[in-house]
Amino acid sequence: MERGDNNVTLFSQNHSITIKDCTELPSMVHSPGLWNYFRYGTVSYSLPLLQLQMILIFVMTQLAHYILKRYGVPKFTSQFIVGLILSPSFLGRLKILKNVLFEVNSQETIGMLASLGYTLFLFVIGVKMDMGMINRTGRKALITGIACIVLPLVVGLAFQVFFRRIWVTEEEASNLPFVTAVHCVTPFPVVASLLEDLKILNSELGRLSLSAALVSDMFSTFLTSLATLTKLAKEKSVVSGIIGSIATIVYVISMVFAIRPAMFWVIRQTPEGRPVKDAYIHFIMFMVLVSGLLSDYYGQTFFFGPFILGLAVPDGPPLGSAIVNKFNCFISEVFLPLFVTTCAMRTDLTLLFKFDSLMTFYTCLIIVTFVTKLAACMVPPYYSKMPLSDALTVSLILTSKGVVQLVSYTVFRDNETMSDQTFALTSVSILLIAVIVPILVKSLYDPSRKYAGYQVRDILHCKRNSELRILVCIQRPDNVAAVIKLLEASCPTRQSPLGVYALHLIELIGRASPIFISHQMQKKTVSNISYSENVTVAFNRFQRDNENAVSVNVFTAISPPKFMHEDICTLALDKLTSLIVLPFHRKWSIDGSIESEDSTVRTLNCSVLELAPCSVGILVDRGSLSHSTVSSEASYSIAMIFIGGNDDREALMFAKRMANDPNISLTVIRFVDSGGNEDVSSWDKVIDSEILKDVKLNNVGDEYVIYIEELVKDGPQTALIVRSMVDEYDLIIVGRRHNIVSPQTSGLAEWNEFPELGIIGDLLASSDINSRTSVFVLQQQKQRIATGRRN
């Protein structure tokens, strides 16, 4: 084993210190066991030490976020707090951390790994970013995005020009423009992460903020690159700056005109529905590392090249989603927390007590740029007639700070552009803004307030012979046939037409921003990929088959499943629909057995039931709809089970509409309490009797309707009758009747597996019943009071 002496010189503000360090060659990587630590009190082997560091950071960040997330604290803030806890201000003073786990020689290894993780994070963010959003950005978002960086930058630079002579020296002032620029940036990853944490990614304000952030981020990337090259020319030579500028321009041009077309070639080589070959993915990752080396070589930061390369990769499936699926989990859950924590560990909060003129200047600069940015982001939306609270919300979102600003300050601190004291101040400002902004946004903006039922939008109050507007949601291809069969059964005519709005829901993979497409306005996306083509063709055929009786509009929403309810409810609100039709989350095979279940669909259905601005129906297709032959001559048997209440009255009105079709036979079965113990108000009884009057008199449309009354004493007797009649019908319509207690269903609530279907609906959809009879469960519009602020 060879030993060599290294002389390392550390520079402080006033003097330099030379440390003589002994290095062993070859390096000790693999440990013979933990006994070595217990004997000598140190971990001399690099690999076990790195593993211990990663385990400690991973456990602490996960535990901290588990505790803090219930208070609405984002992941970044939890990771930052863990870094502060491990910093010299707190636990970093302990001997076991300072001299063993995070001793000086080990910091280079974990720092390198963390930097590699952040590089991959920026690459993946670039892949997720949809550059086509810039072309689709409205005037409001464009002006907001430019204003939120230009105005604070101008004011910040003016502030430092006027006051730097008072508080800072010439040497300190030379680096101020670079620090000021970081104060003013609006990084797209920070805004997208905040919106996702606040669960408003799909909201109107969320989409506006994303578009503005993308514009601002592209503008700030250009300014940052220009500043980096200017600094290179200043520190080395003008020739170096010119060469770096030319290399940067050539690199960007090659990405646009060579690499991006090559990426589309890879997509064309991938058969539809098939995954991208691993060889292509491996070569792209090789290019990520090479691009980092190239950007570092010609004067840019190591992160610049991979980020631009990520922008050259087409977002979404198949290539963008393949890259995100392979790397996103490990990068976001392991590498990024590691990087954020190690950056925050550099913060020494004790330095904040040594307040001098430089600290005073930086404090004023942070406040001035923040306030200016807040005003600059608020004015354009407010001038565009947006309510003041919403404009302030957009402004707060765009002034949020996160990992990108932390990285920039860390780089400045490491290359001595910024002192440790100033770094501590900027780190605290990041933490304060990251904590306060989500709290203020939640208090100012409630996306569900717009769905409050100020207007009655249901089937019951829809005028006779007027257009019934229905929003149908498509999750899987097999949903199309079942939904169209249901719409055909609702008997659209010229006198009583249907307005159908079909919304194809696609999970957002490989993108950071959601997409909403109107196929009447836009046939293809920026990637020249046609979405929902099969859905569009099927519904257009349905419109042609029912000419002058049906109007169809098809939309596609590409968004995260947990936010899809925003797309559904917003479209229903905008189109003034009376009914939303959702597919059930369970899929049955032809023989009646359960083929698959999707818990995300069930969660979505429950969210829509809670927030919908109109009535909602859940369609449980057990084969009678999707596997039946659609023919105008085929007879169709439908039953409607009536117990009483708003939901049952809504379901009966929909069933009455179906009775106008000569090929449909409708049977209305009313369950009546035999003991007369039903706890129903007299007014509800009057309404139930009134809505059933024409059914009893067989005066529904031109066709014959069968009316049956069943006397039951309790829930088990009702269940017995329902089970016996299932196979007699193709479709059974019921009301949800959620949380309504009645003798007819007593004793059945305890066995309710799917509350979103109600008691009777859950009984009919049970796996215990082997039947192909489909079920349609309706819930009448809920009348709610808005909880958010109104302007």
Side-chain angles (χ1 to χ4, degrees):
M1 178 179 294
E2 299 180 3
R3 307 173 69 88
D5 292 339
N6 295 329
N7 290 329
V8 181
T9 303
L10 303 180
F11 295 93
S12 66
Q13 293 182 354
N14 301 318
H15 60 279
S16 63
I17 305 171
T18 302
I19 299 176
K20 191 173 184 179
D21 185 30
C22 182
T23 304
E24 297 186 5
L25 298 174
S27 301
M28 295 186 294
V29 179
H30 301 286
S31 169
L34 285 176
W35 177 247
N36 178 72
Y37 170 73
F38 291 114
R39 288 180 60 190
Y40 301 106
T42 182
V43 182
S44 303
Y45 300 88
S46 57
L47 182 59
L49 183 57
L50 177 63
Q51 291 171 332
L52 288 174
Q53 291 169 340
M54 292 181 66
I55 290 171
L56 177 65
I57 291 174
F58 179 79
V59 171
M60 288 190 67
T61 52
Q62 294 296 322
L63 182 62
H65 187 60
Y66 177 78
I67 296 172
L68 296 175
K69 68 179 180 181
R70 64 191 65 185
Y71 303 106
V73 176
K75 276 187 178 181
F76 166 77
T77 308
S78 302
Q79 296 160 5
F80 195 101
I81 291 173
V82 169
L84 291 179
I85 293 173
L86 294 175
S87 71
S89 309
F90 298 100
L91 298 183
R93 296 178 179 273
L94 299 179
K95 182 179 179 181
I96 189 173
L97 290 179
K98 184 177 181 181
N99 299 331
V100 180
L101 281 179
F102 295 100
E103 54 96 13
V104 177
N105 290 332
S106 70
Q107 293 179 16
E108 183 177 355
T109 304
I110 191 171
M112 178 197 66
L113 187 64
S115 297
L116 176 62
Y118 181 70
T119 302
L120 296 176
F121 167 75
L122 280 185
F123 167 70
V124 171
I125 285 295
V127 173
K128 288 182 177 181
M129 289 174 68
D130 179 14
M131 297 303 296
M133 280 183 63
I134 296 179
N135 296 329
R136 303 191 299 270
T137 298
R139 182 182 176 186
K140 186 195 305 182
L142 183 64
I143 295 175
T144 304
I146 295 175
C148 74
I149 183 171
V150 173
L151 289 181
L153 184 60
V154 170
V155 172
L157 292 175
F159 176 83
Q160 71 179 41
V161 167
F162 286 118
F163 294 99
R164 66 183 181 182
R165 294 180 181 178
I166 303 174
W167 284 319
V168 297
T169 64
E170 287 297 325
E171 183 181 355
E172 293 169 337
S174 62
N175 296 319
L176 283 177
F178 307 105
V179 179
T180 304
V182 176
H183 292 329
C184 303
V185 298
T186 304
F188 182 87
V190 174
V191 173
S193 177
L194 175 63
L195 293 173
E196 188 169 357
D197 288 332
L198 294 174
K199 300 180 180 179
I200 56 174
L201 190 66
N202 280 26
S203 65
E204 181 182 357
L205 293 192
R207 293 177 186 274
L208 173 62
S209 301
L210 276 180
S211 299
L214 182 61
V215 172
S216 179
D217 203 7
M218 292 299 99
F219 195 67
S220 62
T221 300
F222 169 74
L223 292 180
T224 303
S225 302
L226 188 63
T228 304
L229 294 172
T230 303
K231 189 175 183 182
L232 177 67
K234 182 179 179 182
E235 293 179 351
K236 292 187 177 181
S237 65
V238 177
V239 175
S240 298
I242 295 174
I243 293 174
S245 302
I246 295 173
T248 301
I249 295 171
V250 170
Y251 178 77
V252 173
I253 292 175
S254 65
M255 288 294 116
V256 175
F257 295 103
I259 301 300
R260 188 166 177 84
M263 298 295 179
F264 281 111
W265 178 85
V266 171
I267 293 174
R268 289 194 298 271
Q269 299 304 307
T270 305
E272 187 174 354
R274 303 286 295 177
V276 178
K277 291 182 180 179
D278 287 341
Y280 296 136
I281 304 296
H282 297 161
F283 185 73
I284 290 173
M285 296 312 297
F286 169 74
M287 291 175 62
V288 171
L289 301 177
V290 172
S291 64
L293 291 173
L294 288 175
S295 60
D296 182 67
Y297 180 75
Y298 55 69
Q300 292 288 351
T301 63
F302 188 85
F303 312 127
F304 176 79
F307 176 67
I308 299 299
L309 177 61
L311 294 177
V313 178
D315 60 309
L319 186 56
S321 58
I323 293 174
V324 172
N325 285 336
K326 284 183 179 292
F327 300 103
N328 190 55
C329 180
F330 196 75
I331 290 172
S332 60
E333 298 299 330
V334 179
F335 277 147
L336 190 60
L338 188 69
F339 187 75
V340 172
T341 305
T342 52
C343 287
M345 286 174 64
R346 293 171 166 86
T347 306
D348 188 356
L349 297 179
T350 58
L351 297 175
L352 294 176
F353 297 102
K354 303 174 183 178
F355 219 78
D356 54 15
S357 59
L358 181 62
M359 291 288 285
T360 304
F361 177 80
Y362 269 109
T363 302
C364 294
L365 180 62
I366 291 172
I367 294 173
V368 167
T369 52
F370 178 80
V371 173
T372 305
K373 189 173 184 179
L374 198 67
C377 297
M378 186 171 61
V379 171
Y382 184 69
Y383 184 77
S384 302
K385 306 297 177 63
M386 180 179 285
L388 180 61
S389 63
D390 288 354
L392 181 58
T393 302
V394 172
S395 180
L396 287 169
I397 292 171
L398 294 176
T399 53
S400 60
K401 294 185 182 293
V403 62
V404 176
Q405 287 94 342
L406 178 62
V407 171
S408 300
Y409 294 143
T410 303
V411 171
F412 287 155
R413 182 259 185 194
D414 291 346
N415 62 21
E416 299 180 357
T417 301
M418 179 183 290
S419 66
D420 287 344
Q421 190 179 24
T422 308
F423 177 73
L425 177 65
T426 53
S427 297
V428 169
S429 70
I430 291 175
L431 180 62
L432 290 176
I433 294 173
V435 170
I436 295 173
V437 165
I439 296 174
L440 293 177
V441 171
K442 282 185 177 180
S443 63
L444 287 170
Y445 182 61
D446 177 16
S448 65
R449 71 172 185 239
K450 62 183 178 182
Y451 306 132
Y454 298 119
Q455 296 181 359
V456 178
R457 293 174 184 164
D458 54 29
I459 304 172
L460 183 64
H461 294 89
C462 190
K463 294 181 180 179
R464 187 177 182 86
N465 294 331
S466 64
E467 182 185 51
L468 176 62
R469 297 187 177 187
I470 301 178
L471 170 60
V472 295
C473 301
I474 307 298
Q475 290 273 2
R476 304 184 305 264
D478 55 283
N479 296 148
V480 176
V483 166
I484 289 179
K485 183 67 177 178
L486 179 70
L487 295 174
E488 285 185 336
S490 63
C491 191
T493 62
R494 291 188 179 184
Q495 293 74 28
S496 184
L498 278 183
V500 178
Y501 301 92
L503 178 61
H504 187 198
L505 300 167
I506 301 176
E507 183 179 358
L508 181 72
I509 302 176
R511 286 189 177 92
S513 52
I515 298 176
F516 191 86
I517 304 169
S518 171
H519 292 279
Q520 285 64 49
M521 302 291 294
Q522 180 179 0
K523 296 298 181 184
K524 299 207 172 179
T525 66
V526 291
S527 301
N528 206 31
I529 299 172
S530 180
Y531 290 95
S532 311
E533 186 173 354
N534 295 334
V535 175
T536 304
V537 169
F539 277 96
N540 286 340
R541 186 186 301 116
F542 171 61
Q543 183 178 13
R544 288 195 302 269
D545 294 342
N546 297 271
E547 192 174 358
N548 299 323
V550 174
S551 62
V552 172
N553 291 275
V554 182
F555 304 87
T556 297
I558 307 174
S559 58
K562 58 184 176 181
F563 302 137
M564 283 180 178
H565 62 275
E566 283 282 345
D567 292 313
I568 297 171
C569 295
T570 300
L571 184 60
L573 186 69
D574 292 343
K575 301 303 179 182
L576 304 177
T577 61
S578 298
L579 176 65
I580 299 173
V581 179
L582 303 169
F584 192 51
H585 70 277
R586 181 176 281 179
K587 181 182 178 182
W588 279 267
S589 59
I590 297 177
D591 61 1
S593 60
I594 298 175
E595 184 176 320
S596 63
E597 290 190 29
D598 191 341
S599 59
T600 58
V601 176
R602 185 187 179 193
T603 304
L604 172 64
N605 291 349
C606 293
S607 299
V608 174
L609 284 169
E610 187 65 29
L611 296 173
C614 60
S615 297
V616 181
I618 297 180
L619 181 60
V620 183
D621 175 31
R622 303 193 65 162
S624 62
L625 294 175
S626 58
H627 299 126
S628 62
T629 303
V630 180
S631 172
S632 59
E633 302 298 328
S635 61
Y636 206 63
S637 181
I638 298 177
M640 190 274 146
I641 297 177
F642 189 93
I643 297 176
N646 291 334
D647 294 346
D648 278 6
R649 291 193 285 267
E650 187 78 358
L652 181 59
M653 288 302 298
F654 189 74
K656 285 180 178 181
R657 186 182 181 95
M658 292 179 164
N660 293 315
D661 192 325
N663 298 310
I664 289 179
S665 61
L666 174 64
T667 302
V668 178
I669 305 163
R670 185 183 187 187
F671 287 93
V672 181
D673 176 30
S674 61
N677 299 318
E678 192 172 359
D679 186 17
V680 181
S681 67
S682 57
W683 179 246
D684 274 338
K685 286 183 178 180
V686 170
I687 299 176
D688 289 345
S689 299
E690 184 65 26
I691 201 169
L692 284 167
K693 184 184 297 183
D694 54 353
V695 176
K696 293 179 180 179
L697 299 174
N698 192 27
N699 191 26
V700 180
D702 301 325
E703 305 305 319
Y704 185 70
V705 178
I706 301 173
Y707 176 75
I708 301 173
E709 280 194 3
E710 295 281 357
L711 296 175
V712 293
K713 61 180 180 180
D714 53 21
Q717 187 176 358
T718 301
L720 188 63
I721 297 173
V722 170
R723 286 175 178 270
S724 65
M725 56 175 267
V726 167
D727 293 325
E728 299 177 12
Y729 304 98
D730 298 302
L731 175 67
I732 298 178
I733 303 173
V734 298
R736 185 187 178 203
R737 305 184 76 250
H738 184 55
N739 288 335
I740 297 179
V741 180
S742 63
Q744 297 94 318
T745 57
S746 61
L748 297 180
E750 293 79 2
W751 304 95
N752 195 351
E753 183 181 3
F754 303 117
E756 64 269 25
L757 297 181
I759 294 176
I760 303 298
D762 177 75
L763 178 65
L764 292 167
S766 172
S767 56
D768 297 335
I769 298 179
N770 189 10
S771 171
R772 294 188 62 193
T773 301
S774 297
V775 185
F776 190 46
V777 181
L778 279 101
Q779 171 187 279
Q780 193 180 48
Q781 176 195 17
K782 287 184 175 182
Q783 297 293 322
R784 298 184 308 275
I785 299 176
T787 57
R789 293 192 178 192
R790 292 190 298 170
N791 296 279

